Amino acid sequence: MKQVTASGKTVEEAVQSALAQLNATKDQVEIQIVDEGKKGLFGLFGSRPAVIEATLKPDAIESVVGFLQNVLLNMGIEANIDTVQEDERHVLVNITGEKMGLLIGKRGQTINSLQYLAQLVANRHSGHYIRVILNPENYRERRKETLVRLAERLAQKAVHAGEPVKLEPMPNYERKIIHTVLADHHGVQTVSKGEEPNRYVVIQPNTSQN
C-alpha cells in the first residue's frame, strides 16, 4: 500500500503535494492530517507547516484477487487467478487448479458464497457498483446449461401440477438465466422472491392461459 507524507503552508496545499507524488486524484486516496500547521506572527515568525499522510486506496480488482488468494491458501487450494474486466462494472474471475470441486461446493453453494463476499470486497474499494463473477474451471458455462435444462423441466412440472414451483436460492445472474429462458413460455411466468443472498425464483402456472 503506497503512502507518502507531504507538507505545505495549508492542509490543502499539503494534500495537493501528496496527490502529485502519488499521481492520483483526491477520491483515490485516504488523507490523514498529522498537523494542521500554524500561522506565525505576520505570517512569518513561529509559523509551522501543515503535514498530512496520504495513502493510495487499493484497486477494487487487486483487492478481490488478494482476498481470493488468502481464502484459497486457507483452504489448501493451489490455483491460478485470472481476471477479465469486461467493462468498468463487470469483472470475470477465472480460477484454474486442483480441488475445484471443493471450491465450488455442493450445488455451487461454496463458490456462490465466496462470490458474494468477493463482490463486497470489490465494492468497498470502488466508487461505482461492480459485479464480480467467479468462474472456477468454466463452472459458470456448465452451470448455465444446467439451469436452462432445469428451468424447462420445472416449467413443465408447474404446468402439469397446476402449482408454483420454488427453486433454491441463487445469485442474481443465475436467476436472470431462469427468467430469460422462460420469458417466452406461454404456460408459466417467473418471479423472484426473498432477500439477498437468499433470493430465489418461483415458476408459476400462467392462469391467464386457462
Side-chain angles (χ1 to χ4, degrees):
M1 190 176 296
K2 193 171 183 181
Q3 183 182 73
V4 298
T5 300
S7 61
K9 293 179 181 179
T10 64
V11 169
E12 184 58 32
E13 188 176 292
V15 168
Q16 293 305 316
S17 174
L19 294 179
Q21 293 180 58
L22 292 171
N23 192 28
T25 58
K26 204 167 185 177
D27 62 337
Q28 293 176 317
V29 301
E30 294 177 351
I31 303 295
Q32 182 176 354
I33 299 174
V34 178
D35 191 333
E36 292 185 351
K38 179 182 178 181
K39 288 186 177 180
L41 184 62
F42 306 120
L44 296 172
F45 306 107
S47 62
R48 188 174 70 246
V51 181
I52 63 101
E53 287 183 350
T55 305
L56 200 60
K57 293 179 181 178
D59 176 77
I61 298 177
E62 290 176 356
S63 297
V64 167
V65 172
F67 166 73
L68 292 174
Q69 288 174 334
N70 187 52
V71 170
L72 293 173
L73 180 64
N74 286 312
M75 292 180 70
I77 297 176
E78 292 186 9
N80 295 317
I81 299 174
D82 178 43
T83 60
V84 179
Q85 189 161 6
E86 300 175 347
D87 54 51
E88 64 176 9
R89 296 184 180 274
H90 297 83
V91 178
L92 178 68
V93 183
N94 292 312
I95 307 173
T96 55
E98 299 179 353
K99 301 182 182 179
M100 289 296 101
L102 176 63
L103 183 61
I104 294 169
K106 184 178 180 182
R107 295 182 180 177
Q109 291 177 344
T110 302
I111 196 64
N112 286 342
S113 296
L114 185 58
Q115 178 172 284
Y116 178 74
L117 294 175
Q119 193 151 286
L120 292 179
V121 170
N123 286 288
R124 187 176 64 194
H125 300 296
S126 175
H128 57 268
Y129 183 78
I130 296 177
R131 175 181 290 178
V132 177
I133 296 180
L134 304 186
N135 187 34
E137 296 288 2
N138 294 319
Y139 168 72
R140 296 306 175 189
E141 288 81 356
R142 291 182 281 114
R143 176 65 171 167
K144 181 177 180 180
E145 294 173 0
T146 299
L147 289 174
V148 169
R149 292 194 299 269
L150 179 68
E152 294 170 343
R153 179 168 58 83
L154 293 184
Q156 293 303 318
K157 179 179 178 180
V159 170
H160 292 316
E163 297 179 350
V165 176
K166 173 183 172 182
L167 281 72
E168 64 191 35
M170 298 177 184
N172 176 60
Y173 72 93
E174 288 194 351
R175 297 196 307 272
K176 190 174 291 186
I177 292 172
I178 301 294
H179 291 309
T180 301
V181 170
L182 299 180
D184 297 325
H185 194 298
H186 299 300
V188 298
Q189 55 186 354
T190 60
V191 294
S192 288
K193 294 185 177 182
E195 300 295 329
E196 297 289 4
N198 297 311
R199 199 159 166 77
Y200 58 91
V201 174
V202 176
I203 302 174
Q204 303 175 151
N206 195 344
T207 54
S208 64
Q209 298 299 313
N210 295 334

mmCIF file with all atom_site columns, all heavy atoms in Angstrom, residues 129-142:
data_model
loop_
_atom_site.group_PDB
_atom_site.id
_atom_site.type_symbol
_atom_site.label_atom_id
_atom_site.label_alt_id
_atom_site.label_comp_id
_atom_site.label_asym_id
_atom_site.label_entity_id
_atom_site.label_seq_id
_atom_site.pdbx_PDB_ins_code
_atom_site.Cartn_x
_atom_site.Cartn_y
_atom_site.Cartn_z
_atom_site.occupancy
_atom_site.B_iso_or_equiv
_atom_site.pdbx_formal_charge
_atom_site.auth_seq_id
_atom_site.auth_comp_id
_atom_site.auth_asym_id
_atom_site.auth_atom_id
_atom_site.pdbx_PDB_model_num
ATOM 1   N N   . TYR A 1 129 ? -20.705 0.624   -8.576  1.00 0.00 ? 129 TYR A N   1
ATOM 2   C CA  . TYR A 1 129 ? -21.021 -0.778  -8.328  1.00 0.00 ? 129 TYR A CA  1
ATOM 3   C C   . TYR A 1 129 ? -20.318 -1.692  -9.332  1.00 0.00 ? 129 TYR A C   1
ATOM 4   O O   . TYR A 1 129 ? -20.319 -1.431  -10.534 1.00 0.00 ? 129 TYR A O   1
ATOM 5   C CB  . TYR A 1 129 ? -22.527 -1.007  -8.401  1.00 0.00 ? 129 TYR A CB  1
ATOM 6   C CG  . TYR A 1 129 ? -22.938 -2.425  -8.085  1.00 0.00 ? 129 TYR A CG  1
ATOM 7   C CD1 . TYR A 1 129 ? -22.990 -2.867  -6.764  1.00 0.00 ? 129 TYR A CD1 1
ATOM 8   C CD2 . TYR A 1 129 ? -23.252 -3.328  -9.103  1.00 0.00 ? 129 TYR A CD2 1
ATOM 9   C CE1 . TYR A 1 129 ? -23.350 -4.170  -6.470  1.00 0.00 ? 129 TYR A CE1 1
ATOM 10  C CE2 . TYR A 1 129 ? -23.615 -4.630  -8.808  1.00 0.00 ? 129 TYR A CE2 1
ATOM 11  C CZ  . TYR A 1 129 ? -23.655 -5.045  -7.491  1.00 0.00 ? 129 TYR A CZ  1
ATOM 12  O OH  . TYR A 1 129 ? -24.011 -6.333  -7.191  1.00 0.00 ? 129 TYR A OH  1
ATOM 13  N N   . ILE A 1 130 ? -19.708 -2.747  -8.816  1.00 0.00 ? 130 ILE A N   1
ATOM 14  C CA  . ILE A 1 130 ? -19.023 -3.739  -9.651  1.00 0.00 ? 130 ILE A CA  1
ATOM 15  C C   . ILE A 1 130 ? -19.617 -5.120  -9.382  1.00 0.00 ? 130 ILE A C   1
ATOM 16  O O   . ILE A 1 130 ? -19.772 -5.521  -8.227  1.00 0.00 ? 130 ILE A O   1
ATOM 17  C CB  . ILE A 1 130 ? -17.510 -3.772  -9.351  1.00 0.00 ? 130 ILE A CB  1
ATOM 18  C CG1 . ILE A 1 130 ? -16.849 -2.440  -9.713  1.00 0.00 ? 130 ILE A CG1 1
ATOM 19  C CG2 . ILE A 1 130 ? -16.836 -4.907  -10.113 1.00 0.00 ? 130 ILE A CG2 1
ATOM 20  C CD1 . ILE A 1 130 ? -15.367 -2.383  -9.384  1.00 0.00 ? 130 ILE A CD1 1
ATOM 21  N N   . ARG A 1 131 ? -19.951 -5.812  -10.445 1.00 0.00 ? 131 ARG A N   1
ATOM 22  C CA  . ARG A 1 131 ? -20.417 -7.195  -10.311 1.00 0.00 ? 131 ARG A CA  1
ATOM 23  C C   . ARG A 1 131 ? -19.241 -8.124  -10.554 1.00 0.00 ? 131 ARG A C   1
ATOM 24  O O   . ARG A 1 131 ? -18.573 -8.045  -11.581 1.00 0.00 ? 131 ARG A O   1
ATOM 25  C CB  . ARG A 1 131 ? -21.537 -7.512  -11.301 1.00 0.00 ? 131 ARG A CB  1
ATOM 26  C CG  . ARG A 1 131 ? -21.956 -8.990  -11.263 1.00 0.00 ? 131 ARG A CG  1
ATOM 27  C CD  . ARG A 1 131 ? -23.030 -9.297  -12.260 1.00 0.00 ? 131 ARG A CD  1
ATOM 28  N NE  . ARG A 1 131 ? -24.295 -8.683  -11.891 1.00 0.00 ? 131 ARG A NE  1
ATOM 29  C CZ  . ARG A 1 131 ? -25.406 -8.760  -12.627 1.00 0.00 ? 131 ARG A CZ  1
ATOM 30  N NH1 . ARG A 1 131 ? -25.378 -9.383  -13.786 1.00 0.00 ? 131 ARG A NH1 1
ATOM 31  N NH2 . ARG A 1 131 ? -26.504 -8.190  -12.214 1.00 0.00 ? 131 ARG A NH2 1
ATOM 32  N N   . VAL A 1 132 ? -18.985 -9.003  -9.604  1.00 0.00 ? 132 VAL A N   1
ATOM 33  C CA  . VAL A 1 132 ? -17.877 -9.958  -9.692  1.00 0.00 ? 132 VAL A CA  1
ATOM 34  C C   . VAL A 1 132 ? -18.446 -11.354 -9.908  1.00 0.00 ? 132 VAL A C   1
ATOM 35  O O   . VAL A 1 132 ? -19.336 -11.785 -9.168  1.00 0.00 ? 132 VAL A O   1
ATOM 36  C CB  . VAL A 1 132 ? -17.022 -9.942  -8.411  1.00 0.00 ? 132 VAL A CB  1
ATOM 37  C CG1 . VAL A 1 132 ? -15.915 -10.988 -8.498  1.00 0.00 ? 132 VAL A CG1 1
ATOM 38  C CG2 . VAL A 1 132 ? -16.423 -8.555  -8.181  1.00 0.00 ? 132 VAL A CG2 1
ATOM 39  N N   . ILE A 1 133 ? -17.961 -12.053 -10.919 1.00 0.00 ? 133 ILE A N   1
ATOM 40  C CA  . ILE A 1 133 ? -18.381 -13.431 -11.180 1.00 0.00 ? 133 ILE A CA  1
ATOM 41  C C   . ILE A 1 133 ? -17.154 -14.337 -11.094 1.00 0.00 ? 133 ILE A C   1
ATOM 42  O O   . ILE A 1 133 ? -16.180 -14.139 -11.824 1.00 0.00 ? 133 ILE A O   1
ATOM 43  C CB  . ILE A 1 133 ? -19.047 -13.573 -12.558 1.00 0.00 ? 133 ILE A CB  1
ATOM 44  C CG1 . ILE A 1 133 ? -20.341 -12.760 -12.606 1.00 0.00 ? 133 ILE A CG1 1
ATOM 45  C CG2 . ILE A 1 133 ? -19.339 -15.041 -12.869 1.00 0.00 ? 133 ILE A CG2 1
ATOM 46  C CD1 . ILE A 1 133 ? -21.074 -12.832 -13.934 1.00 0.00 ? 133 ILE A CD1 1
ATOM 47  N N   . LEU A 1 134 ? -17.202 -15.285 -10.166 1.00 0.00 ? 134 LEU A N   1
ATOM 48  C CA  . LEU A 1 134 ? -16.115 -16.253 -10.016 1.00 0.00 ? 134 LEU A CA  1
ATOM 49  C C   . LEU A 1 134 ? -16.405 -17.469 -10.890 1.00 0.00 ? 134 LEU A C   1
ATOM 50  O O   . LEU A 1 134 ? -17.491 -18.050 -10.812 1.00 0.00 ? 134 LEU A O   1
ATOM 51  C CB  . LEU A 1 134 ? -15.978 -16.673 -8.546  1.00 0.00 ? 134 LEU A CB  1
ATOM 52  C CG  . LEU A 1 134 ? -15.763 -15.546 -7.527  1.00 0.00 ? 134 LEU A CG  1
ATOM 53  C CD1 . LEU A 1 134 ? -15.502 -16.134 -6.149  1.00 0.00 ? 134 LEU A CD1 1
ATOM 54  C CD2 . LEU A 1 134 ? -14.623 -14.634 -7.943  1.00 0.00 ? 134 LEU A CD2 1
ATOM 55  N N   . ASN A 1 135 ? -15.420 -17.865 -11.688 1.00 0.00 ? 135 ASN A N   1
ATOM 56  C CA  . ASN A 1 135 ? -15.641 -18.924 -12.668 1.00 0.00 ? 135 ASN A CA  1
ATOM 57  C C   . ASN A 1 135 ? -14.551 -19.994 -12.589 1.00 0.00 ? 135 ASN A C   1
ATOM 58  O O   . ASN A 1 135 ? -13.643 -20.035 -13.418 1.00 0.00 ? 135 ASN A O   1
ATOM 59  C CB  . ASN A 1 135 ? -15.671 -18.295 -14.070 1.00 0.00 ? 135 ASN A CB  1
ATOM 60  C CG  . ASN A 1 135 ? -16.063 -19.284 -15.145 1.00 0.00 ? 135 ASN A CG  1
ATOM 61  O OD1 . ASN A 1 135 ? -16.865 -20.184 -14.912 1.00 0.00 ? 135 ASN A OD1 1
ATOM 62  N ND2 . ASN A 1 135 ? -15.499 -19.134 -16.333 1.00 0.00 ? 135 ASN A ND2 1
ATOM 63  N N   . PRO A 1 136 ? -14.628 -20.895 -11.595 1.00 0.00 ? 136 PRO A N   1
ATOM 64  C CA  . PRO A 1 136 ? -13.618 -21.953 -11.482 1.00 0.00 ? 136 PRO A CA  1
ATOM 65  C C   . PRO A 1 136 ? -13.804 -23.038 -12.544 1.00 0.00 ? 136 PRO A C   1
ATOM 66  O O   . PRO A 1 136 ? -14.879 -23.634 -12.639 1.00 0.00 ? 136 PRO A O   1
ATOM 67  C CB  . PRO A 1 136 ? -13.857 -22.511 -10.068 1.00 0.00 ? 136 PRO A CB  1
ATOM 68  C CG  . PRO A 1 136 ? -15.282 -22.196 -9.764  1.00 0.00 ? 136 PRO A CG  1
ATOM 69  C CD  . PRO A 1 136 ? -15.607 -20.936 -10.506 1.00 0.00 ? 136 PRO A CD  1
ATOM 70  N N   . GLU A 1 137 ? -12.759 -23.255 -13.341 1.00 0.00 ? 137 GLU A N   1
ATOM 71  C CA  . GLU A 1 137 ? -12.777 -24.312 -14.367 1.00 0.00 ? 137 GLU A CA  1
ATOM 72  C C   . GLU A 1 137 ? -14.034 -24.253 -15.235 1.00 0.00 ? 137 GLU A C   1
ATOM 73  O O   . GLU A 1 137 ? -14.697 -25.268 -15.479 1.00 0.00 ? 137 GLU A O   1
ATOM 74  C CB  . GLU A 1 137 ? -12.671 -25.701 -13.709 1.00 0.00 ? 137 GLU A CB  1
ATOM 75  C CG  . GLU A 1 137 ? -11.366 -25.931 -12.977 1.00 0.00 ? 137 GLU A CG  1
ATOM 76  C CD  . GLU A 1 137 ? -10.170 -26.105 -13.899 1.00 0.00 ? 137 GLU A CD  1
ATOM 77  O OE1 . GLU A 1 137 ? -10.348 -26.006 -15.122 1.00 0.00 ? 137 GLU A OE1 1
ATOM 78  O OE2 . GLU A 1 137 ? -9.060  -26.327 -13.378 1.00 0.00 ? 137 GLU A OE2 1
ATOM 79  N N   . ASN A 1 138 ? -14.390 -23.044 -15.694 1.00 0.00 ? 138 ASN A N   1
ATOM 80  C CA  . ASN A 1 138 ? -15.554 -22.837 -16.566 1.00 0.00 ? 138 ASN A CA  1
ATOM 81  C C   . ASN A 1 138 ? -16.860 -23.331 -15.946 1.00 0.00 ? 138 ASN A C   1
ATOM 82  O O   . ASN A 1 138 ? -17.790 -23.737 -16.655 1.00 0.00 ? 138 ASN A O   1
ATOM 83  C CB  . ASN A 1 138 ? -15.340 -23.518 -17.928 1.00 0.00 ? 138 ASN A CB  1
ATOM 84  C CG  . ASN A 1 138 ? -14.209 -22.879 -18.711 1.00 0.00 ? 138 ASN A CG  1
ATOM 85  O OD1 . ASN A 1 138 ? -14.072 -21.666 -18.726 1.00 0.00 ? 138 ASN A OD1 1
ATOM 86  N ND2 . ASN A 1 138 ? -13.386 -23.704 -19.334 1.00 0.00 ? 138 ASN A ND2 1
ATOM 87  N N   . TYR A 1 139 ? -16.929 -23.284 -14.642 1.00 0.00 ? 139 TYR A N   1
ATOM 88  C CA  . TYR A 1 139 ? -18.138 -23.744 -13.935 1.00 0.00 ? 139 TYR A CA  1
ATOM 89  C C   . TYR A 1 139 ? -19.377 -22.966 -14.371 1.00 0.00 ? 139 TYR A C   1
ATOM 90  O O   . TYR A 1 139 ? -20.472 -23.529 -14.476 1.00 0.00 ? 139 TYR A O   1
ATOM 91  C CB  . TYR A 1 139 ? -17.940 -23.596 -12.421 1.00 0.00 ? 139 TYR A CB  1
ATOM 92  C CG  . TYR A 1 139 ? -19.203 -23.777 -11.617 1.00 0.00 ? 139 TYR A CG  1
ATOM 93  C CD1 . TYR A 1 139 ? -19.793 -25.032 -11.460 1.00 0.00 ? 139 TYR A CD1 1
ATOM 94  C CD2 . TYR A 1 139 ? -19.822 -22.675 -11.016 1.00 0.00 ? 139 TYR A CD2 1
ATOM 95  C CE1 . TYR A 1 139 ? -20.952 -25.193 -10.724 1.00 0.00 ? 139 TYR A CE1 1
ATOM 96  C CE2 . TYR A 1 139 ? -20.985 -22.829 -10.271 1.00 0.00 ? 139 TYR A CE2 1
ATOM 97  C CZ  . TYR A 1 139 ? -21.548 -24.080 -10.129 1.00 0.00 ? 139 TYR A CZ  1
ATOM 98  O OH  . TYR A 1 139 ? -22.710 -24.231 -9.404  1.00 0.00 ? 139 TYR A OH  1
ATOM 99  N N   . ARG A 1 140 ? -19.233 -21.678 -14.607 1.00 0.00 ? 140 ARG A N   1
ATOM 100 C CA  . ARG A 1 140 ? -20.398 -20.850 -14.933 1.00 0.00 ? 140 ARG A CA  1
ATOM 101 C C   . ARG A 1 140 ? -21.042 -21.265 -16.247 1.00 0.00 ? 140 ARG A C   1
ATOM 102 O O   . ARG A 1 140 ? -22.266 -21.248 -16.364 1.00 0.00 ? 140 ARG A O   1
ATOM 103 C CB  . ARG A 1 140 ? -20.000 -19.372 -14.968 1.00 0.00 ? 140 ARG A CB  1
ATOM 104 C CG  . ARG A 1 140 ? -19.544 -18.824 -13.625 1.00 0.00 ? 140 ARG A CG  1
ATOM 105 C CD  . ARG A 1 140 ? -20.570 -19.057 -12.534 1.00 0.00 ? 140 ARG A CD  1
ATOM 106 N NE  . ARG A 1 140 ? -20.100 -18.631 -11.209 1.00 0.00 ? 140 ARG A NE  1
ATOM 107 C CZ  . ARG A 1 140 ? -20.748 -18.886 -10.079 1.00 0.00 ? 140 ARG A CZ  1
ATOM 108 N NH1 . ARG A 1 140 ? -21.878 -19.557 -10.094 1.00 0.00 ? 140 ARG A NH1 1
ATOM 109 N NH2 . ARG A 1 140 ? -20.247 -18.475 -8.929  1.00 0.00 ? 140 ARG A NH2 1
ATOM 110 N N   . GLU A 1 141 ? -20.232 -21.635 -17.234 1.00 0.00 ? 141 GLU A N   1
ATOM 111 C CA  . GLU A 1 141 ? -20.789 -22.091 -18.508 1.00 0.00 ? 141 GLU A CA  1
ATOM 112 C C   . GLU A 1 141 ? -21.566 -23.398 -18.311 1.00 0.00 ? 141 GLU A C   1
ATOM 113 O O   . GLU A 1 141 ? -22.667 -23.571 -18.837 1.00 0.00 ? 141 GLU A O   1
ATOM 114 C CB  . GLU A 1 141 ? -19.675 -22.290 -19.539 1.00 0.00 ? 141 GLU A CB  1
ATOM 115 C CG  . GLU A 1 141 ? -19.053 -21.003 -20.063 1.00 0.00 ? 141 GLU A CG  1
ATOM 116 C CD  . GLU A 1 141 ? -18.002 -20.415 -19.117 1.00 0.00 ? 141 GLU A CD  1
ATOM 117 O OE1 . GLU A 1 141 ? -17.804 -20.959 -18.000 1.00 0.00 ? 141 GLU A OE1 1
ATOM 118 O OE2 . GLU A 1 141 ? -17.379 -19.417 -19.505 1.00 0.00 ? 141 GLU A OE2 1
ATOM 119 N N   . ARG A 1 142 ? -20.960 -24.314 -17.553 1.00 0.00 ? 142 ARG A N   1
ATOM 120 C CA  . ARG A 1 142 ? -21.630 -25.597 -17.295 1.00 0.00 ? 142 ARG A CA  1
ATOM 121 C C   . ARG A 1 142 ? -22.882 -25.395 -16.450 1.00 0.00 ? 142 ARG A C   1
ATOM 122 O O   . ARG A 1 142 ? -23.903 -26.046 -16.644 1.00 0.00 ? 142 ARG A O   1
ATOM 123 C CB  . ARG A 1 142 ? -20.664 -26.561 -16.597 1.00 0.00 ? 142 ARG A CB  1
ATOM 124 C CG  . ARG A 1 142 ? -19.529 -27.030 -17.490 1.00 0.00 ? 142 ARG A CG  1
ATOM 125 C CD  . ARG A 1 142 ? -18.602 -28.013 -16.805 1.00 0.00 ? 142 ARG A CD  1
ATOM 126 N NE  . ARG A 1 142 ? -17.649 -27.371 -15.921 1.00 0.00 ? 142 ARG A NE  1
ATOM 127 C CZ  . ARG A 1 142 ? -17.612 -27.511 -14.603 1.00 0.00 ? 142 ARG A CZ  1
ATOM 128 N NH1 . ARG A 1 142 ? -18.499 -28.293 -14.003 1.00 0.00 ? 142 ARG A NH1 1
ATOM 129 N NH2 . ARG A 1 142 ? -16.695 -26.904 -13.874 1.00 0.00 ? 142 ARG A NH2 1
#
